[in-house]
Amino acid sequence: MTAEIIVVTSGKGGVGKTTTSASLATGLAMAGKKVAVIDFDVGLRNLDLIMGCERRVVYDFVNVVNGEATIKQALIKDKRHDNLFVLAASQTRDKDALTQEGVEKVLDDLSNDGFDYVVCDSPAGIEKGAHLAMYFADHAVVVVNPEVSSVRDSDRILGLLSSKTRRAERGEGAITQHLLLTRYNPGRVALGEMLSVKDVEEILGISVVGVIPESENVLAASNAGVPVILDDNSHAGQAYRDTVARILGEERPLRFTEVARKGFLQRVFGG
Amino acid sequence: MTEALHSKMDTSDACDLRFGQVGIACVRVRRVDAAALCEELERRVRSAPQLFSRAAVVLDLSHLLDLPDDGTVDALLEAVRSAGMLPVGLAYGTSATEALAQRMGLPLIAKFRAAYEPAEGGSIAPPAPAPAAAPAPAPVREPIHAAPPAGPALGAQHHEGTVRSGQQVYARDRDLVVTGAIANGAEVIADGSIHVYGGLRGRAMAGAQGDEKARIFVSDFRAELVAIAGHYRVFEQIPKDLEGQAVQCWLDGEKLMIARL
């Protein structure tokens, strides 16, 4: 039994990769899977904050790659789920501290430790850090915002995923590509200020695995160190639950992609 | 503030220094024989004088087993000159090439066509036809490849699926059929015609070796640029009557025509 490796990537920065990685890993853990989530953004470590474990980081990814700590020492157990572990990035190093062999060994060790899924939170860009995050992946979640620059960068990433990964190089078949549209605002789409789901699917030629609505809860959850998927009252949290279910093979209709009609009371009192 | 004022007043800079992309031909030397090289190039200049006469070329020595000595390189450069072309530099190679370029007082030009170069290599590379009647220097990065002697007809090259931003597909000496879309920032190039059965949002360049009969067929037209035999059109705004339509592009003399199918 080998672990399935999922890279969360986008090319462009600030589109919601880390938010997605945290929620995806948590969602998979909630489904009973044993999950590790790794922050590949060496030098700009964020995942630990979103996961709410920043004060428990002792050893990090670079320590493990350099053999200064074992993977067991460096994995931080999530305080909410026993089967979810975080491997933090190093804040004091840069991306050159990672090597392909080192990353491969860490992933192999996790696989041998009985992990079902390893979620790799890629840094922005298409340079070394992003390359290493995607190289060993079996699945990719490409995070895209409904705007043209993000869509173009995602297109570039989709191209790299189909050529610059181990599976592609070994001819083991394409890695599974999931397109995740985040920060979606149906109201602005209706006004023509934002690309629609259909626009993005048409430009990129693949269909979305989920649409996460723009939501204030995402920022609040990030600041609180709680992955937004745990906020069952927020649309973003529910949309992430749907997305994780779809990645696990379930069929669910898209939600929150139409302008919500406000009821009378909501119109009067806001909401 | 004073700095800004000063720069505003000072309009007499001696020059602007910019990097830009220019079309340039690469002469890949396959054997050290100045006379044969001169003859071959002369033949090509004669066949398309408006294209090759006084064309700037880069000498690529990387396909020779051993780097020739300075005198031989001089003879090769002279052969290029006497054929009517203007050698402007050496193609990037090993550190020995670098040293050679320094001794010759020539610049080293990076290996700019690597993405298109098939493993088996080509023969002497003619430049892509220069865009005629163009309002601006061509942004077209044409593939620089040799047309080998006419051989048996090759079938079209097929590309399954989408050509993503940043990717290039080149069909050498033949037509290209793309069954997916071509994204913004992607390029498809063929020495023959190009058929696109998805959306064309990027660039398509047919007749890259100068075949003016090449055509481009697109089932969903949203191109950034189309070119045939170096004649090109860029689309800052896609004409409303063509956008999303099935179109074909062809050359009528020097004019690149586009019409709905």
Side-chain angles (χ1 to χ4, degrees), chain A residues 99-225:
Chain A
T99 62
Q100 188 155 311
E101 298 71 35
V103 171
E104 184 173 20
K105 177 149 192 318
V106 169
L107 295 175
D108 284 348
D109 286 351
L110 290 171
S111 198
N112 294 334
D113 269 356
F115 278 87
D116 300 308
Y117 287 95
V118 180
V119 176
C120 302
D121 180 21
S122 171
I126 52 174
E127 285 79 31
K128 190 173 182 190
H131 173 74
L132 288 175
M134 74 167 67
Y135 186 73
F136 298 100
D138 303 302
H139 302 263
V141 173
V142 177
V143 182
V144 60
N145 285 173
E147 48 116 0
V148 286
S149 55
S150 173
V151 170
R152 178 176 294 187
D153 291 359
S154 302
D155 195 53
R156 184 92 166 90
I157 288 291
L158 287 166
L160 295 176
L161 285 168
S162 58
S163 59
K164 301 280 191 229
T165 54
R166 184 167 66 172
R167 287 183 82 97
E169 284 179 9
R170 288 186 179 173
E172 294 173 338
I175 82 172
T176 325
Q177 300 172 342
H178 305 284
L179 187 66
L180 181 64
L181 191 52
T182 60
R183 302 210 162 149
Y184 195 71
N185 184 330
R188 297 189 64 189
V189 172
L191 291 172
E193 297 171 356
M194 219 178 229
L195 296 176
S196 69
V197 179
K198 192 165 153 282
D199 291 338
V200 176
E201 287 184 330
E202 224 170 71
I203 296 173
L204 293 177
I206 62 173
S207 47
V208 296
V209 71
V211 177
I212 312 299
E214 196 169 43
S215 164
E216 288 156 13
N217 304 66
V218 173
L219 183 64
S222 295
N223 286 338

Side-chain angles (χ1 to χ4, degrees), chain B residues 49-203:
Chain B
Q50 74 280 23
L51 222 56
F52 296 132
S53 178
R54 293 186 56 75
V57 295
V58 170
L59 203 62
D60 182 357
L61 303 171
S62 63
H63 279 240
L64 297 173
L65 281 177
D66 302 303
L67 200 63
D69 59 46
D70 295 17
T72 314
V73 176
D74 255 339
L76 291 173
L77 290 169
E78 193 46 46
V80 175
R81 268 185 220 109
S82 59
M85 292 176 164
L86 300 173
V88 294
L90 297 184
Y92 182 78
T94 59
S95 50
T97 322
E98 201 174 327
L100 175 74
Q102 214 151 43
R103 289 198 300 276
M104 298 264 150
L106 284 171
L108 262 192
I109 301 194
K111 207 159 172 74
F112 44 93
R113 294 312 334 164
Y116 297 158
E117 275 165 1
E120 72 271 17
S123 57
I124 299 174
V140 194
R141 291 170 290 152
E142 305 280 356
I144 297 174
H145 265 301
L154 296 161
Q157 177 175 327
H158 292 257
H159 181 91
E160 296 282 336
T162 308
V163 185
R164 299 283 177 196
S165 185
Q167 293 180 329
Q168 290 158 326
V169 176
Y170 173 45
R172 179 188 168 83
D173 301 328
R174 52 163 99 182
D175 290 0
L176 176 64
V177 178
V178 181
T179 47
I182 294 150
N184 289 104
E187 285 183 355
V188 291
I189 302 157
D191 291 345
S193 297
I194 296 176
H195 308 254
V196 183
Y197 291 97
L200 171 62
R201 294 164 189 275
R203 302 164 162 224

